[in-house]
Amino acid sequence: MSSVDMNENIVKVTIDGVELQVTKGKTILQAARENGIYIPTMCYLSKLEPISSCRMCMVEVEGVDGVILSCQEKAVDGAVIKTNTPTIERERQKIVKLYDVNHPLECGVCDKSGECELQNRTLEYGIDRQEFAAREQHRPMRNWGFISYDPSLCIMCERCVRVCNEIVGDEALQISTGGYKSTIVNVKSDDDCAECGECMAVCPVGALVSTDFKYSANAWELRAIPASCAHCSAHCQLNYEVKHESIDNPVEKIYRVTNDFEFSSLCGAGRFGYDFENRASRRDEAAFSRAVEAFERAENIRFSSMISNEEALLLCKIAEKTGANLVCDEAKAYQDFMRAYSRASGRRLYSGDLKRVAKSQSIVVLGTRIYDDAPMVKYAISTAVKREKAQVAYLHPLEDGRIRNIVTSFVKYEVGSEEGVAALLAATLIDRRRAPEKLLKLIDDLDIGYLSAESNVSEEELEEIKSMLWKRRRFTLIAGADLYAHPGAENIAKYLAVIERYSDFDLIIVPPASNTLGVSLICELCEMKEGYTVGYNAPGDFVLSALGDGDLDMPALNQQEGTFTTLEKRVVPTNAALGYEGYELADIAAALGIEMENVVDLTPYLPEERGFRRVEFDSLENGFGIDGSDRRGYELEDALFDSQELPLEPDELESFDGTIIYRCDEKRQFNPFTAKCSQLSAEEAVLKGSAQFAAAAKLEDGERVSFEVDGIHYERVFSIDTSMKGTVALNPTFDIGLSSFAVSSYRFSKAQIKKVGSDDE
Amino acid sequence: MSLEEFKDRNIGTQNYRMLDLGESPKSGMEKFKQVVERSVKLELFTGLKVTFREMYKALFKKNMHTVKYPFEKMPIAPRYRAIHQMKRLLESGHYRCIGCGLCEKICIANCIRIDTRYDENQRKEVSEYTINFGRCIFCGYCAEVCPELAIVHGGRYETSSEQRASFSTLEDMLTPLEQLAEQSEFPGFGAISPNADENVKKTPLAY
Ligand code: SF4
Ligand code: SF4
Ligand code: SF4
Ligand code: SF4
Ligand code: SF4
Ligand code: FES
């Protein structure tokens, strides 16, 4: 870059006498904050677009009459800015006073006390008397399930509404306007919004609080332990906040989860599913020696991808020592998929990340129920839709009514036809000028008519997707968990790879479970062999379980230190929020003759040849910079290979008829650990289908049914969901314990559904 | 400074008055003489005279100086900081404590603990409150910080008991309901100033 462009991108401003160089396009507030200059705000939140409603952020600019709002005004070259003058100070005082009108004097009991922005501003501006008044309104409290809303504490900053629209994309909150009577209403009522708790996290006052946490502790009593959410591959930044359980019980427990809401978000699982710790705190020596024996004689070590990178590496070392086979069902399919992808794309890791998704103008989603599978990806998509007016094509056999507001076109394909759809997408999206001859020939030879008829994706629909690219920039293709265990997975991976390679599309291959990406990079995985199996959080002949139901107890992921590999291709640290007295995997490794003290000693030994770095665990940061830059852990190194395998023509497409069951843990449920959490455990696992499904399977709403999928027998209530269509029903697996970690087949399956009552007769 | 110098240092210009105690006896003979002298002159009865006078006053004039502890107790000054009391609201009898946790936070000995919860009436309920008197140093900070004048120091200074936990729960410290009428405002540490009313700033009301 020449120095001339450099200068074009930099503007010089002077704030409070300090000369600053800031990137063009930044607002005055951003410029000030990045340089540690304080400007008070009330309605502003870094991750949202400014709405400039509070006027707290006013500043004076030399040569400009009156004040300007720094949260929305861009910094222009040469501007001389004052953040505080006597006039501004008086104005701000008045604003805070107005916020304080009729604000209940209940800081003494309010959950927000100690971290309340209104409390802080009121003290900051020394408000000790009030001269404004307004007639108080009757404002009853509302209970929205996980969240309670107290309108009399609300200052109408609209942060909650904006975060729900802009970030979460649920559009559940609205303002019921009426001047001083205005309140926030949840139009999705009790149980219909994502219940992610984002609104509650960003609320500057105590108007939105957790129903469960309410009045149980004060902000200053809790000790925050910075960690990463263990439930899905986003591994969001969070703090577990702990305090002793009660006067009678000094053992610590997690009271709530908070996060750096200025820059990052959480979903409901992360926010409310935190107490999945294993309380078994006894050192059971007999069980321990049985475990060591079991490892010594095991043919297979089977584990789940709810594991830290270090423990995955430790399992590799154990397997090396004992000669056992490493089996991780979820990760194996993903590993094979990624390897096929690499052979075709010539790179180790996919190119996309969530920041780029949020900035995309066209997004194509293939083979995932994104709302449930990867909330952070869905957040990023909804941000793109709201800010960039992105067009979203959602290709999946099941339409998802909950994201109708962000999806431009639903493209419904036949179950099982993913390979064909991937081929069709490749034919649609590849930039012909860039693609090599051979690929063009392959694409031209595709029998589009046949593929389109079999997969039920019409040529018009493909045209529509193509038109989404017109006059737009920044594209992302998101591929998900339906694809990895598909019989044609390898070919699908290659189609995705060529799309990424020969078009402007970024690609994200969403890891299907918690640390699947990490496991797939660290471990050499195999198929199960005949013989004795040790299961680590997975079924086996000898089971080590963090759920507490196995032969030897293990600490859960909120009781462990370590790192995770995220779908953003970062390695992020997590810390132990709660103590654990029992044995850990490291003890077993030690008994097997692998020397080390703590499992985090292994952090620097994560395989460098797969992109990990030689850094000590203790040197990893877990947070965001003052400017919002991601400082969590480090980014995996990508690698380029000289390889450009091409996909093959898709095989004959398998057809699925009749009643089909789709494996899917909805909303806040991801695995048996979320199911165990006190706030989420009330959710019953039901087989959920449309009215059409009910008719096809001859079922009534509320009937008990039984069926078998992947060799697992399920017995559950069938419930009709009127928002669903088609003949595919959703079957969760979060309630079947560790067995759920051993299920990794293609997500759709045909099933014989029997009524339980009629069986007995 | 050496020890010698330290002892010899100038410690000021106070006017010390030396007591005129006379010479102490030195030889054995002198000591013997002193003993004989004191016995024969009956100096002992000079002292006993006071005793008999007071005994007479106590027995026959009802003028007794001895406090018959534990049947009698000395009055305690309002600023004395003894075992805490929890006050109630006079109107409703409900405990005043709102569970704000400020006393717990400020406690210098870290001996206060509170459990709170959201109760059926949408209020913050103090489900349990304890002070570990084995650690309390009676500094009075808790009483001073309490915004509700709920926790105060009482005059109960006898802190021996069979159980460490005695008189340290909310139940123990609360004014018994039947004595609510006699509950007095606490004038000691952390109480509002007598002219508090004058300092109150009024908030305008729109109705
Ligand atoms: S919980 Fe989430 S989805 Fe529901 S209203 Fe709040 S931000 Fe919106
Ligand atoms: S509920 Fe909270 S975040 Fe929402 S408008 Fe009111 S104060 Fe703002
Ligand atoms: S479950 Fe996934 S999306 Fe939700 S908070 Fe945890 S890591 Fe983030
Ligand atoms: S008197 Fe001092 S040490 Fe005792 S409970 Fe109160 S604050 Fe704590
Ligand atoms: S400071 Fe007073 S009101 Fe607050 S918790 Fe302590 S006793 Fe209760
Ligand atoms: S922060 Fe700028 S107007 Fe509210």
Side-chain angles (χ1 to χ4, degrees):
Chain A
M1 203 189 272
S2 76
S3 64
V4 180
D5 317 347
M6 283 276 293
N7 286 343
E8 271 181 6
N9 271 321
I10 298 280
V11 292
K12 284 205 185 97
V13 292
T14 311
I15 305 183
D16 290 345
V18 188
E19 207 170 290
L20 306 172
Q21 303 213 340
V22 295
T23 333
K24 201 171 178 174
K26 296 242 156 130
T27 61
I28 297 173
L29 179 64
Q30 279 166 338
R33 281 200 177 170
E34 278 171 23
N35 292 285
I37 298 173
Y38 173 67
I39 300 178
T41 57
M42 215 64 208
C43 67
Y44 182 77
L45 196 67
S46 304
K47 68 181 175 189
L48 301 173
E49 301 281 287
I51 55 162
S52 336
S53 71
C54 73
R55 296 179 53 81
M56 276 294 275
C57 66
M58 59 176 81
V59 292
E60 272 176 21
V61 178
E62 239 167 58
V64 180
D65 275 347
V67 292
I68 66 168
L69 299 180
S70 64
C71 68
Q72 69 169 11
E73 227 49 65
K74 300 248 173 352
V76 289
D77 206 24
V80 179
I81 298 153
K82 276 201 211 119
T83 63
N84 207 349
T85 64
T87 338
I88 291 183
E89 181 82 8
R90 268 197 306 281
E91 283 298 309
R92 288 190 182 143
Q93 246 171 12
K94 248 186 221 153
I95 295 169
V96 179
K97 265 185 203 172
L98 283 171
Y99 274 131
D100 284 338
V101 170
N102 288 341
H103 193 89
L105 286 175
E106 60 173 64
C107 297
V109 298
C110 182
D111 276 343
K112 202 75 181 179
S113 184
E115 51 184 16
C116 170
E117 293 182 31
L118 185 64
Q119 203 177 42
N120 291 350
R121 291 299 93 74
T122 303
L123 293 173
E124 187 180 332
Y125 288 96
I127 311 297
D128 58 358
R129 63 175 65 207
Q130 176 67 279
E131 58 245 22
F132 304 112
R135 177 174 281 278
E136 180 54 316
Q137 306 294 324
H138 176 59
R139 302 172 201 258
M141 305 241 238
R142 297 259 179 273
N143 186 334
W144 299 339
F146 281 65
I147 295 160
S148 302
Y149 174 55
D150 186 346
S152 47
L153 294 170
C154 176
I155 59 166
M156 293 311 287
C157 65
E158 294 178 34
R159 280 192 199 176
C160 53
V161 180
R162 288 183 288 146
V163 83
C164 190
N165 289 349
E166 242 176 270
I167 308 278
V168 183
D170 254 50
E171 298 176 10
L173 300 183
Q174 280 177 9
I175 302 163
S176 135
T177 42
Y180 186 62
K181 281 190 209 153
S182 304
T183 52
I184 303 295
V185 286
N186 189 338
V187 290
K188 291 211 172 169
S189 80
D190 276 358
D191 197 35
D192 253 6
C193 78
E195 302 209 278
C196 59
E198 267 299 291
C199 46
M200 164 186 115
V202 301
C203 183
V205 293
L208 289 172
V209 294
S210 153
T211 310
D212 177 77
F213 175 78
K214 201 160 195 202
Y215 292 171
S216 62
N218 293 306
W220 57 81
E221 295 171 64
L222 298 163
R223 194 160 52 88
I225 288 141
S228 299
C229 175
H231 294 312
C232 92
S233 53
H235 294 300
C236 304
Q237 179 271 335
L238 53 74
N239 302 312
Y240 292 114
E241 300 209 338
V242 301
K243 191 187 103 169
H244 59 86
E245 169 120 33
S246 69
I247 288 174
D248 305 321
N249 184 1
V251 175
E252 292 206 319
K253 79 166 194 180
I254 303 176
Y255 275 74
R256 64 172 180 182
V257 154
T258 53
N259 68 324
D260 191 345
F261 57 82
E262 279 281 339
F263 306 114
S264 72
S265 301
L266 290 178
C267 82
R271 182 148 339 254
F272 301 114
Y274 47 76
D275 50 344
F276 52 91
E277 67 276 0
N278 189 2
R279 286 281 184 198
S281 53
R282 202 166 61 86
R283 286 207 152 205
D284 185 344
E285 280 173 38
F288 179 71
S289 49
R290 281 200 299 278
V292 176
E293 258 166 54
F295 267 101
E296 273 164 353
R297 66 180 271 225
E299 294 290 332
N300 299 301
I301 299 174
R302 189 181 210 177
F303 61 107
S304 82
S305 46
M306 266 205 94
I307 190 171
S308 64
N309 291 328
E310 287 74 15
E311 287 209 338
L313 181 60
L314 191 53
L315 283 179
C316 293
K317 287 186 187 286
I318 293 176
E320 210 175 286
K321 189 112 189 169
T322 66
N325 236 338
L326 274 187
V327 183
C328 179
D329 304 75
E330 305 156 305
K332 175 79 172 95
Y334 186 73
Q335 187 173 57
D336 292 344
F337 194 87
M338 285 303 284
R339 289 188 177 165
Y341 158 81
S342 292
R343 288 198 298 278
S345 70
R347 52 191 296 174
R348 180 162 54 217
L349 297 165
Y350 46 81
S351 54
D353 60 38
L354 296 181
K355 272 214 177 77
R356 291 167 67 120
V357 175
K359 289 218 153 42
S360 296
Q361 294 186 332
S362 293
I363 298 168
V364 178
V365 184
L366 171 68
T368 165
R369 196 166 164 86
I370 202 77
Y371 191 102
D372 304 309
D373 292 355
M376 285 309 125
V377 181
K378 178 216 153 198
Y379 286 13
I381 297 175
S382 83
T383 308
V385 171
K386 299 289 151 83
R387 294 206 190 132
E388 307 287 334
K389 306 267 172 298
Q391 303 269 314
V392 180
Y394 180 85
L395 291 77
H396 199 252
L398 278 147
E399 224 179 276
D400 190 346
R402 298 166 301 178
I403 49 173
R404 200 162 287 135
N405 57 332
I406 57 174
V407 170
T408 328
S409 71
F410 279 108
V411 177
K412 246 170 99 169
Y413 57 78
E414 287 298 320
V415 173
S417 70
E418 285 85 350
E419 195 181 349
V421 178
L424 288 173
L425 270 186
T428 316
L429 303 179
I430 279 175
D431 183 349
R432 296 189 67 92
R433 283 163 306 181
R434 269 197 254 168
E437 270 313 300
K438 267 199 190 144
L439 178 64
L440 286 181
K441 181 163 180 320
L442 178 108
I443 285 174
D444 292 336
D445 286 350
L446 286 177
D447 187 347
I448 302 282
Y450 167 78
L451 289 177
S452 146
E454 286 295 299
S455 63
N456 204 9
V457 176
S458 70
E459 288 175 46
E460 292 78 56
E461 283 170 320
L462 292 171
E463 270 315 302
E464 199 183 326
I465 295 177
K466 188 148 200 166
S467 72
M468 281 177 23
L469 313 185
W470 180 244
K471 283 209 175 149
R472 287 173 174 272
R473 286 178 301 142
R474 300 190 294 271
F475 312 107
T476 308
L477 173 60
I478 293 159
D482 297 4
L483 309 175
Y484 314 140
H486 189 275
E490 189 177 333
N491 218 14
I492 298 177
K494 290 182 184 168
Y495 274 115
L496 301 180
V498 294
I499 296 175
E500 182 192 31
R501 192 163 191 173
Y502 305 114
S503 76
D504 289 333
F505 269 83
D506 279 346
L507 174 66
I508 293 187
I509 305 176
V510 181
S514 175
N515 196 15
T516 319
L517 179 57
V519 171
S520 73
L521 288 171
I522 295 163
C523 303
E524 261 330 300
L525 300 168
C526 316
E527 300 290 341
M528 273 286 264
K529 270 199 298 205
E530 266 306 296
Y532 193 76
T533 304
V534 172
Y536 180 26
N537 284 332
D541 301 311
F542 188 94
V543 177
L544 302 108
S545 166
L547 282 178
D549 58 355
D551 302 308
L552 180 68
D553 282 306
M554 284 282 124
L557 283 174
N558 56 7
Q559 298 168 299
Q560 284 188 35
E561 290 182 310
T563 59
F564 297 123
T565 313
T566 74
L567 70 86
E568 299 232 69
K569 303 165 292 178
R570 289 189 88 86
V571 178
V572 297
T574 189
N575 287 305
L578 299 171
Y580 183 75
E581 302 288 320
Y583 288 105
E584 299 180 25
L585 194 61
D587 298 318
I588 294 178
L592 289 168
I594 299 166
E595 268 182 53
M596 55 158 202
E597 242 175 86
N598 294 311
V599 71
V600 288
D601 294 343
L602 289 176
T603 313
Y605 301 106
L606 292 170
E608 255 177 298
E609 64 283 6
R610 300 277 163 75
F612 291 91
R613 278 206 232 147
R614 266 194 102 76
V615 290
E616 295 289 333
F617 176 78
D618 290 333
S619 66
L620 295 176
E621 283 184 61
N622 191 8
F624 297 87
I626 194 168
D627 54 351
S629 56
D630 196 340
R631 298 260 179 85
R632 304 179 64 211
Y634 60 85
E635 203 166 336
L636 283 177
E637 210 84 47
D638 198 3
L640 300 180
F641 321 108
D642 184 24
S643 168
Q644 36 176 312
E645 277 182 27
L646 291 178
L648 307 170
E649 200 173 324
D651 274 340
E652 189 103 338
L653 304 181
E654 193 190 346
S655 72
F656 280 68
D657 305 313
T659 47
I660 300 166
I661 285 180
Y662 181 55
R663 192 172 70 244
C664 179
D665 290 325
E666 285 202 286
K667 257 190 182 174
R668 296 169 297 260
Q669 297 291 358
F670 282 87
N671 47 51
F673 291 100
T674 51
K676 186 182 169 185
C677 296
S678 58
Q679 291 191 69
L680 310 181
S681 60
E683 284 163 33
E684 198 196 349
V686 295
L687 180 70
K688 214 154 128 185
S690 64
Q692 198 184 344
F693 180 91
K698 302 196 181 59
L699 295 174
E700 304 278 328
D701 191 31
E703 235 166 349
R704 276 203 87 76
V705 294
S706 74
F707 51 92
E708 205 174 292
V709 192
D710 301 313
I712 295 173
H713 181 80
Y714 296 89
E715 199 179 302
R716 19 173 132 280
V717 169
F718 171 74
S719 126
I720 293 183
D721 183 338
T722 46
S723 73
M724 287 174 63
K725 287 184 205 152
T727 54
V728 181
L730 300 178
N731 182 38
T733 56
F734 63 81
D735 63 329
I736 61 169
L738 293 181
S739 327
S740 73
F741 289 123
V743 182
S744 64
S745 58
Y746 180 52
R747 282 173 85 181
F748 294 92
S749 36
K750 294 175 219 174
Q752 282 294 321
I753 300 177
K754 286 193 229 120
K755 299 186 193 186
V756 171
S758 59
D759 252 9
D760 304 338
E761 285 159 331
Chain B
M1 201 188 282
S2 72
L3 187 62
E4 263 337 272
E5 284 171 323
F6 178 72
K7 284 185 171 165
D8 275 352
R9 74 198 191 283
N10 181 11
I11 48 165
T13 49
Q14 292 97 328
N15 290 323
Y16 290 104
R17 186 166 60 89
M18 300 305 279
L19 290 178
D20 180 19
L21 293 176
E23 288 285 297
S24 299
K26 292 215 173 63
S27 65
M29 197 51 203
E30 276 171 6
K31 281 183 188 160
F32 176 73
K33 262 165 102 186
Q34 189 181 47
V35 171
V36 172
E37 234 171 63
R38 286 187 174 173
S39 322
V40 173
K41 280 168 90 183
L42 294 178
E43 272 181 3
L44 177 66
F45 290 95
T46 323
L48 271 182
K49 199 170 90 190
V50 178
T51 312
F52 283 122
R53 191 180 69 216
E54 294 304 313
M55 213 157 100
Y56 170 78
K57 275 201 218 158
L59 290 175
F60 304 109
K61 296 276 181 203
K62 297 215 156 61
N63 187 2
M64 171 116 118
H65 283 273
T66 315
V67 176
K68 287 195 209 145
Y69 183 82
F71 307 108
E72 269 178 19
K73 284 173 193 170
M74 296 275 278
I76 289 288
R79 293 179 69 85
Y80 192 81
R81 304 193 295 270
I83 294 286
H84 305 64
Q85 287 178 352
M86 284 289 216
K87 299 284 184 190
R88 290 184 189 270
L89 293 167
L90 292 175
E91 301 85 347
S92 62
H94 196 276
Y95 52 77
R96 286 186 192 172
C97 173
I98 54 169
C100 67
L102 291 180
C103 50
E104 187 183 22
K105 174 72 184 166
I106 205 167
C107 176
I108 207 160
N110 217 351
C111 62
I112 301 186
R113 276 199 174 172
I114 316 179
D115 287 350
T116 53
R117 66 176 205 106
Y118 185 66
D119 77 1
E120 297 67 34
N121 308 316
Q122 304 185 330
R123 292 179 60 106
K124 191 171 192 172
E125 181 192 278
V126 180
S127 36
E128 191 48 275
Y129 186 109
T130 65
I131 299 180
N132 178 350
F133 285 113
R135 293 209 342 230
C136 174
I137 58 161
F138 299 96
C139 62
Y141 282 3
C142 49
E144 192 174 3
V145 79
C146 179
E148 302 295 317
L149 303 177
I151 189 162
V152 301
H153 282 286
R156 183 171 166 188
Y157 47 79
E158 299 128 312
T159 50
S160 64
S161 72
E162 288 162 5
Q163 291 278 324
R164 229 171 236 248
S166 300
F167 46 77
S168 63
T169 65
L170 187 58
E171 273 301 278
D172 301 321
M173 290 185 277
L174 270 178
T175 314
L177 268 181
E178 61 278 6
Q179 289 169 24
L180 186 58
E182 290 107 67
Q183 176 180 287
S184 58
E185 230 26 76
F186 177 64
F189 214 72
I192 47 172
S193 57
N195 65 340
D197 280 350
E198 291 158 31
N199 293 334
V200 170
K201 289 162 190 155
K202 295 222 169 89
T203 302
L205 284 178
Y207 40 89

